[in-house]
Amino acid sequence: MANDDSPKSGDLPPYPEMILAAIEALDDKSGSNKTAISTYIEENYENLPPAHASLLTANLASMKEGGKLAFVKNNYLKPAATAAAADAAAAEPTPKRGRGRPRKDPSAPRPPPKEPKDPTAPKRGRGRPAKAKDPVAEAVAKATAGMPKSGRGRPAGKSPAPKKAKVVKEAPAADASGSAPAKRGRGRPPKAK
């Protein structure tokens, strides 16, 4: 539980001092997490305020932002302990990858140069190149050029049905007013001018 040499008075030291004392006492190479720090403070100091957890969190955050503590892999360390790790990391700087496509490596081998174009060769036309023709299909098409085609379309020999002649009806007799009802055609009527 409590050590005999630890302070157990009603006057609590400030939280930053208690936090640094906890990190020194726990003496872990990879640092101490918030739970371990809190447990140490609860065991070694009496009369902690009811808001101990939130005060600890706030003080850890302010010490981290102020540079008094370093936060590495969810553990808190003294900055002097992280200086050696930071120096080792600075020895091998890793370039930050930017946005977009990476540049070509100038030390990479270059591709062999292209052969010069033949000036007598025909120029390529625009658009998609024509499909390669099948020589067998061309020979079959020549051989069957005069023959009637079968198997596709309307069957041969049947003629279309004869069209019926239109029967014109006589216009109905005019009303007493003298105007005949106008017969409407199909579709939308033309726009009046």
Side-chain angles (χ1 to χ4, degrees):
M1 272 209 210
N3 296 343
D4 293 333
D5 59 344
S6 65
K8 287 237 178 197
S9 64
D11 295 329
L12 286 175
Y15 263 89
E17 287 180 22
M18 290 192 288
I19 291 169
L20 290 173
I23 291 173
E24 285 176 7
L26 293 169
D27 195 31
D28 192 1
K29 283 184 180 180
S30 61
S32 304
N33 62 16
K34 188 170 98 172
T35 309
I37 295 169
S38 178
T39 306
Y40 177 85
I41 292 173
E42 288 171 359
E43 288 177 355
N44 293 304
Y45 296 95
E46 286 183 344
N47 301 327
L48 291 173
H52 165 69
S54 60
L55 285 170
L56 179 66
T57 303
N59 280 287
L60 284 171
S62 66
M63 289 175 74
K64 179 175 70 170
E65 289 175 7
K68 295 178 183 175
L69 287 179
F71 189 66
V72 179
K73 293 186 181 178
N74 212 20
N75 288 333
Y76 293 94
L77 300 164
K78 283 190 168 185
T82 59
D87 290 341
E92 292 184 36
T94 55
K96 190 173 183 182
R97 190 181 182 299
R99 292 171 40 187
R101 184 175 182 174
R103 292 187 176 180
K104 290 183 179 178
D105 185 17
S107 63
R110 295 190 174 185
K114 293 182 180 180
E115 296 178 16
K117 292 184 179 179
D118 184 16
T120 58
K123 289 189 175 181
R124 237 180 89 201
R126 291 176 54 185
R128 187 174 182 157
K131 205 172 190 181
K133 294 183 179 177
D134 184 18
V136 175
E138 287 182 21
V140 170
K142 275 186 182 178
T144 59
M147 301 175 122
K149 294 181 181 178
S150 63
R152 291 189 187 175
R154 178 177 269 179
K158 288 189 176 179
S159 61
K163 293 184 178 179
K164 294 181 180 178
K166 287 188 177 179
V167 178
V168 179
K169 293 183 180 177
E170 293 183 21
D175 292 341
S177 62
S179 66
K183 186 168 184 176
R184 291 188 182 177
R186 291 178 55 189
R188 185 174 184 149
K191 191 174 183 181
K193 292 184 182 179

